[in-house]
Amino acid sequence: MMVDDEMRKKLVQAALEARQWAYAPYSNYPVGAALLTASGKIYDGVNVENAAYPTGMCAERVAVFKAVSEGERQLAAVAVVTANGGMPCGACRQVLSEFGKDTLVLIANDKGELVLETSVEKLLPSAFGPTDLNLEA
Ligand SMILES: [Zn+2]
């Protein structure tokens, strides 16, 4: 799916707006994500931390799980907004790769400025995937 400049801006803006709902009282590092699916829908997500630290969840995975739980299986692009243009963690890269290695990844800061444009494949080359579980392949 071609993701034009207008859509890229829209995704970064959606991630920026979602970021206000991040629940990050421990890290003070709010993250907003916005995911474009192949069907053209946008799902946003924020990091949701917890007093029991490991039970929190990243913004990117919240967005993916929201999309998948509504029947989406193909991702086209994801925008991630943090204060300083931070990168998705390894776990999020793995989850994103399950639903599209070609997924465009837009990393932006809290001014909405694009810091990096990349892809899931570039962020996690040779990822473990569904075919690794198929012993007959
Ligand atoms: Zn993450």
Side-chain angles (χ1 to χ4, degrees), residues 44-90:
D44 62 20
V46 298
N47 52 334
V48 182
E49 296 179 350
N50 192 279
Y53 287 9
T55 60
M57 182 52 62
C58 300
E60 299 93 317
R61 276 180 285 165
V62 168
V64 171
F65 296 160
K66 280 168 81 171
V68 173
S69 70
E70 294 192 16
E72 304 284 350
R73 296 279 173 89
Q74 284 266 295
L75 311 181
V78 60
V80 182
V81 172
T82 59
N84 57 351
M87 297 297 294
C89 77

Side-chain angles (χ1 to χ4, degrees), residues 31-51:
V31 183
L35 195 63
L36 174 68
T37 64
S39 71
K41 286 187 190 161
I42 294 175
Y43 294 85
D44 62 20
V46 298
N47 52 334
V48 182
E49 296 179 350
N50 192 279

Side-chain angles (χ1 to χ4, degrees), residues 73-75 95-104 120-121:
R73 296 279 173 89
Q74 284 266 295
L75 311 181
V95 168
L96 285 164
S97 78
E98 179 85 13
F99 302 104
K101 296 184 191 313
D102 296 332
T103 303
L104 174 71
V120 168
E121 173 67 32

